Amino acid sequence: MSRKKFIAGNWKMNTTVEEAVALAKGVVEAVGGVSDVDVAVCPPYTNLSAVSQAIKGSNVKLGAQDVHWEAKGAFTGKVSCDMLKSVGVTYVIIGHSEQRQYFGETNGTVNKKTKAVLAAGLLPIVCVGETLDERNGGKMDAVIDGQTRGAFEGISASDAAKCTIAYEPVWAIGTGVTATPEQANEAHVFIRNILVSLYGKDTADKMRIQYGGSMKPDNAKGLLALSDIDGGLIGGAALKPADFAGIVQPK
Ligand code: PGA
C-alpha cells in the first residue's frame, strides 16, 4: 500500500501577522510546487487569513492548530469549524500533547473535535503519543491504545479514512531527542494494528500516520523511509523555510 506522504508544519504560538506572511511566502517559494507530497502549514488563528492569501495558488494547504466542537455561541476564546472553513482551512490538528498537557484536552474532547471537524468537511490530524514516564513505566501501549480508540469512538470507517494520525512521543517534542526510526516505526505499526482492529485492513491502510518530535532535515529521510511512517508533523523546523523544505524533500 503506498500512501502519499504528508508533511505539516505546526507553527505553535509563533509569528506575528508579518512574520507569518514572510514564512508562508518562504515555504511557497521552497515547496509550493511540490505535488508528490502533501504539504500544509498551521499558523496561529490570528494569522490564518493572511497565510491563506499568501499560499493561494500554490500546493501548500492551510491547517489550524485546534478547534472547538460547538458550532457557535457563548464559548469565549474559542473558534468553530465554520470559522476555520471561512478563512480557507483544510486541516485541523486535534489533541496535540501541549493541548492535553496544559489545556485540559482529554480523549473525550479529542473525539468531539474529530467528529465536528469531519462533519464540517475538514480533515483532522489527530495527535497521540506517550510521555517519558508512561514509556518508562511500561504504559506506552495502553496510553496509545486509549488515545487512538478514544479519538475514533463512534466514527465510521469512511470518515476515519479521511483522518491523519500524528504519533508524537511527548519526550521527543521540542527536546532535540528524536525517536529512533525503529522506535517510531514500531509505534506506527502498533497504531496501524489498532486501526485494523477498528476498521479493517483496507481502511487502516489508507490512513496516514505522521511522526512528530524533533524531526529535522537530517533525520527526516531515515524516518520517512520506514513502512508505516507516512509523513511528519513538524514544530521547530517548520519555522524556517529551508529546514521545512529539507523535510518535505529530504536529501
Ligand atoms: P517539534 O514539535 O518538531 O518542535 O519537536 C513537533 C510538534 O509538537 O508537533
Side-chain angles (χ1 to χ4, degrees):
M1 175 79 205
S2 89
R3 290 170 292 268
K4 191 175 183 183
K5 298 271 195 262
F6 175 25
I7 306 291
N10 173 12
W11 295 1
K12 306 195 179 185
M13 197 173 74
N14 295 293
T15 66
T16 60
V17 174
E18 291 75 13
E19 288 163 352
V21 168
L23 177 52
K25 286 184 174 162
V27 169
V28 167
E29 202 170 302
V31 295
V34 171
S35 58
D36 58 342
V37 177
D38 285 334
V39 178
V41 291
C42 308
Y45 287 148
T46 48
N47 304 338
L48 285 170
S49 229
V51 170
S52 183
Q53 293 303 314
I55 62 177
K56 214 173 220 157
S58 79
N59 290 339
V60 178
K61 296 279 188 286
L62 189 64
Q65 298 175 17
D66 189 24
V67 70
H68 188 51
W69 57 85
E70 293 288 349
K72 61 159 102 165
F75 301 102
T76 302
K78 298 297 170 204
V79 166
S80 73
C81 292
D82 278 354
M83 295 172 191
L84 296 180
K85 270 174 88 172
S86 73
V87 291
V89 163
T90 299
Y91 297 100
V92 184
I93 298 171
I94 300 169
H96 191 277
S97 65
E98 287 147 18
Q99 277 288 125
R100 293 179 190 262
Q101 194 178 345
Y102 305 127
F103 303 110
E105 186 95 277
T106 64
N107 294 339
T109 58
V110 169
N111 181 242
K112 286 186 189 182
K113 290 176 182 181
T114 305
K115 284 177 174 159
V117 164
L118 286 163
L122 296 167
L123 302 175
I125 300 174
V126 176
C127 302
V128 302
E130 81 288 358
T131 64
L132 192 57
D133 279 354
E134 288 162 348
R135 175 174 275 257
N136 291 341
K139 297 197 195 104
M140 175 180 161
D141 288 1
V143 167
I144 295 174
D145 189 82
Q147 290 175 339
T148 307
R149 288 181 196 276
F152 288 97
E153 202 174 308
I155 291 174
S156 68
S158 61
D159 270 346
K162 298 172 195 156
C163 297
T164 297
I165 294 180
Y167 168 65
E168 301 204 304
V170 178
W171 46 273
I173 295 178
T175 57
V177 181
T178 324
T180 63
E182 293 70 27
Q183 280 174 326
N185 200 49
E186 204 178 301
H188 284 227
V189 170
F190 179 75
I191 293 165
R192 181 106 42 218
N193 285 332
I194 299 169
L195 299 175
V196 171
S197 82
L198 287 173
Y199 296 116
K201 193 172 176 340
D202 282 1
T203 300
D205 275 347
K206 284 186 198 135
M207 295 174 70
R208 294 186 288 198
I209 307 176
Q210 296 174 322
Y211 169 78
S214 299
M215 198 158 163
K216 302 181 211 75
D218 62 4
N219 60 27
K221 195 167 188 168
L223 287 160
L224 293 169
L226 290 164
S227 65
D228 284 81
I229 301 185
D230 308 314
L233 184 56
I234 318 303
L239 297 172
K240 289 195 186 129
D243 288 350
F244 189 62
I247 298 173
V248 173
Q249 297 184 301
K251 300 244 160 40

